[in-house]
C-alpha cells in the first residue's frame, strides 16, 4: 500500500507571510505616494512655467523688450489689468478672473511652508487658466526705485494646500531695478 503525503502551508506560515507583505507595503506605499505627488507638482509647474515663458517670448516679439514695457510706477488694480491685457492675455487662454480682496475680506489665503499666512495686496488680481492653474498678479514698487510684476502660479488653482513651495510658485517681470541691473528686462 502506498501512502500519499499531503504538502502545503500551515495557517501560521500563511499569516506570517501576509504580515511581512503588509509591513513592507506599509513602509513603501507612503514613499511611493509622496514621490508621485512630487513628480506631479514638477510636471504641472514645468507646464505652467513653459506656458508663461512662451507667452513672454511672444509678448517680447510683439511689444519689444520687457524693460520697455509700460507697467506704471504705482501699484494699482488698473495698472495690473493694463499689464495683463496688453502683455499676457493675448497669448494665453484665460477662463475667468477675480480679485484677492473682495467685500472686506480675503477670498483665499496663501501660506508659507512654516504655516504663516501671506499678506496679499488689495490690488492683486487672479486669473484662472483653462488647465486649472491660477495666476495671481501683483505689482511691487518701492518708491519708484524698483518696478516689477510678480506672478504667483498656483498649479492646482483653488485646491489646498495653497502653500508657497508646494503648489504656489512665483516669477517676476522686472522693468526697473537699479540695485540689480542684471535682472532688468528679465522674466
Amino acid at each position: 500500500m502506498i501512502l500519499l503525503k499531503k504538502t502545503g502551508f500551515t495557517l501560521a506560515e500563511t499569516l506570517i507571510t501576509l504580515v511581512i507583505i503588509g509591513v513592507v507595503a506599509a513602509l513603501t506605499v507612503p514613499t511611493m505616494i509622496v514621490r508621485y505627488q512630487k513628480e506631479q507638482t514638477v510636471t504641472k509647474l514645468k507646464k505652467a512655467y513653459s506656458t508663461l515663458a512662451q507667452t513672454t517670448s511672444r509678448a517680447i516679439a510683439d511689444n519689444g523688450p520687457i524693460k520697455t514695457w509700460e507697467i506704471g510706477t504705482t501699484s494699482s488694480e488698473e495698472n495690473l489689468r493694463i499689464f495683463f491685457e496688453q502683455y499676457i492675455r493675448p497669448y494665453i487662454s484665460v477662463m475667468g478672473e477675480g480679485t484677492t480682496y473682495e467685500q472686506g475680506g480675503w477670498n483665499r489665503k496663501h501660506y508659507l511652508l512654516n504655516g504663516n499666512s501671506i499678506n496679499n495686496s488689495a490690488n492683486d488680481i487672479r486669473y484662472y487658466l483653462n488647465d486649472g492653474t491660477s495666476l495671481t498678479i501683483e505689482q511691487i514698487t518701492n518708491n519708484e526705485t524698483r518696478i516689477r510684476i510678480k506672478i504667483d502660479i498656483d498649479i492646482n488653482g483653488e485646491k489646498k494646500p495653497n502653500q508657497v513651495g508646494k503648489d504656489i510658485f512665483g516669477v517676476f517681470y522686472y522693468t526697473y531695478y537699479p540695485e540689480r541691473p542684471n535682472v532688468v528686462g528679465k522674466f
Side-chain angles (χ1 to χ4, degrees), residues 6-79:
K6 294 183 181 179
T7 59
F9 296 108
T10 66
L11 180 61
E13 292 170 329
T14 305
L15 289 175
I16 289 171
T17 303
L18 289 175
V19 167
I20 291 171
I21 290 172
V23 168
V24 170
L27 294 174
T28 59
V29 170
T31 303
M32 291 172 50
I33 290 171
V34 167
R35 185 180 310 140
Y36 174 77
Q37 289 171 336
K38 284 182 181 179
E39 288 172 4
Q40 289 296 101
T41 298
V42 169
T43 300
K44 288 177 182 180
L45 180 58
K46 282 181 179 179
K47 181 179 182 247
Y49 182 82
S50 175
T51 299
L52 273 178
Q54 291 172 16
T55 297
T56 301
S57 295
R58 292 175 65 197
I60 289 170
D62 289 349
N63 301 293
I66 293 172
K67 63 185 174 185
T68 65
W69 292 1
E70 292 294 325
I71 291 179
T73 58
T74 59
S75 181
S76 72
E77 188 175 321
E78 181 182 347
N79 282 343

Side-chain angles (χ1 to χ4, degrees), residues 25 27 44 60 62 75 78 80 84 106 121 154 174 180 184:
L27 294 174
K44 288 177 182 180
I60 289 170
D62 289 349
S75 181
E78 181 182 347
L80 289 174
F84 190 83
W106 302 109
S121 164
D154 190 338
Y174 291 94
R180 296 181 60 199
V184 174

Side-chain angles (χ1 to χ4, degrees), residues 25 73 110 115 160:
T73 58
H110 293 168
K160 292 185 178 190

Side-chain angles (χ1 to χ4, degrees), residues 154-168:
D154 190 338
I155 60 172
N156 63 357
E158 297 294 321
K159 296 177 187 169
K160 292 185 178 190
N162 294 324
Q163 274 189 309
V164 174
K166 286 192 176 180
D167 65 339
I168 299 174

Side-chain angles (χ1 to χ4, degrees), residues 86-149:
Q86 183 169 354
Y87 302 113
I88 305 295
R89 187 176 216 127
Y91 314 103
I92 200 167
S93 182
V94 176
M95 72 176 202
E97 72 175 79
T99 60
T100 58
Y101 190 77
E102 295 173 351
Q103 299 175 3
W106 302 109
N107 66 354
R108 185 180 65 163
K109 291 191 178 221
H110 293 168
Y111 299 91
L112 299 172
L113 287 175
N114 66 7
N116 293 339
S117 66
I118 296 173
N119 293 325
N120 293 329
S121 164
N123 295 322
D124 292 357
I125 301 173
R126 183 171 297 118
Y127 293 92
Y128 301 94
L129 307 184
N130 290 337
D131 66 358
T133 302
S134 70
L135 305 176
T136 302
I137 301 178
E138 174 185 6
Q139 183 172 0
I140 301 172
T141 58
N142 297 66
N143 300 325
E144 299 182 19
T145 61
R146 296 181 201 139
I147 302 172
R148 59 192 167 170
I149 298 287

